[in-house]
Amino acid sequence: MFITLDGIDGVGKSTQIERLINYLEQQGHETLLVRDPGTTEIGARLRQILLQSDLELHRRTEAMLFMASRCEMVETILRPALANGKTVVSDRFLLANVVYQSVGGKVSPDLLWQMGRLANGGVVPDLTILLDMPARRSMERIGNETDRMESRGVDYMEAVRQGFLQQLPYSSQSTAIIDADQSPEDVSRELLASVAEVLT
């Protein structure tokens, strides 16, 4: 089983991923948590370039670096884990790549989906969960600690949010949208109910 969580920054992914992992392990699943971009040494280095640097990159260049990081993670960590029967939870996956790099129209979502599925070697999540919240609310949560993407401002982040809502149906066979602008406990209840439907 392969589950991904996504959404704009500030929606509470880290909290909900931790609760999801705990739930899955209580259900007897051997779990693995991965982070996209990241997880591998190559991914960590590319993450630094993509999110912590002040480099000016064309959106297509960004997209390819994200995909290179994901390809390495898929082939060295994620695919072997799935083959060994583990339940993998990913903090972001291809959906985020498509959305962030297509906003503004410089690269089409269709092209990014094609590139991404090639880079992923056919690996597609069983379930993609989108934690949704208006960008203004999420930016209030983040405060002044922004990365290179978040620093593009609230209008950009709201466009990204709308992109997530539009592109979510293409991300996997099963998808769920959870209202993240409520208590963490209410978010968890809805999220775990969505996961339970796929597990049964």
Side-chain angles (χ1 to χ4, degrees):
M1 177 67 65
F2 178 27
I3 302 169
T4 69
L5 268 73
D6 226 316
I8 59 176
D9 290 297
V11 295
K13 280 191 289 86
S14 298
T15 297
Q16 297 306 325
I17 285 171
E18 183 179 348
R19 294 181 180 190
L20 173 57
I21 293 288
N22 289 338
Y23 167 79
L24 290 169
E25 291 180 348
Q26 288 169 7
Q27 300 299 309
H29 292 259
E30 186 178 357
T31 64
L32 173 69
L33 172 62
V34 295
R35 187 184 195 195
D36 184 10
T39 305
T40 65
E41 184 178 350
I42 290 172
R45 293 187 186 190
L46 290 175
R47 183 182 183 88
Q48 187 172 23
I49 292 171
L50 286 160
L51 300 179
Q52 272 82 51
S53 77
D54 57 1
L55 294 173
E56 289 292 327
L57 301 173
H58 188 278
R59 293 288 172 83
R60 196 165 63 251
T61 305
E62 285 182 352
M64 289 181 173
L65 291 175
F66 275 115
M67 288 176 190
S69 171
R70 187 176 310 108
C71 179
E72 184 70 9
M73 179 184 74
V74 164
E75 297 305 332
T76 63
I77 295 176
L78 200 156
R79 193 190 299 276
L82 292 173
N84 287 328
K86 291 184 179 179
T87 298
V88 179
V89 176
S90 184
D91 182 349
R92 297 200 184 284
F93 202 62
L94 177 55
L95 172 62
N97 202 168
V98 171
V99 170
Y100 276 94
Q101 273 64 65
S102 68
V103 166
K106 293 186 179 179
V107 189
S108 76
D110 287 347
L111 177 60
L112 290 164
W113 281 119
Q114 291 173 27
M115 292 166 58
R117 292 199 165 118
L118 175 64
N120 294 355
V123 172
V124 178
D126 297 295
L127 171 64
T128 300
I129 298 172
L130 178 64
L131 299 181
D132 180 53
M133 175 187 292
R136 194 165 297 281
R137 289 281 295 121
S138 75
M139 295 297 279
E140 287 171 4
R141 287 187 178 188
I142 294 169
N144 296 324
E145 296 295 322
T146 58
D147 64 25
R148 200 169 66 85
M149 301 293 177
E150 298 156 359
S151 65
R152 291 173 179 166
V154 67
D155 290 341
Y156 170 78
M157 294 305 295
E158 182 59 31
V160 170
R161 177 202 177 199
Q162 295 303 322
F164 271 120
L165 293 167
Q166 292 163 11
Q167 297 300 320
L168 176 66
Y170 306 107
S171 63
S172 55
Q173 260 192 327
S174 297
T175 63
I177 301 173
I178 309 293
D179 177 9
D181 198 10
Q182 54 182 332
S183 73
E185 291 70 28
D186 287 338
V187 173
S188 295
R189 184 163 51 252
E190 291 186 26
L191 187 151
L192 297 181
S194 298
V195 171
E197 285 184 18
V198 175
L199 293 177
T200 54

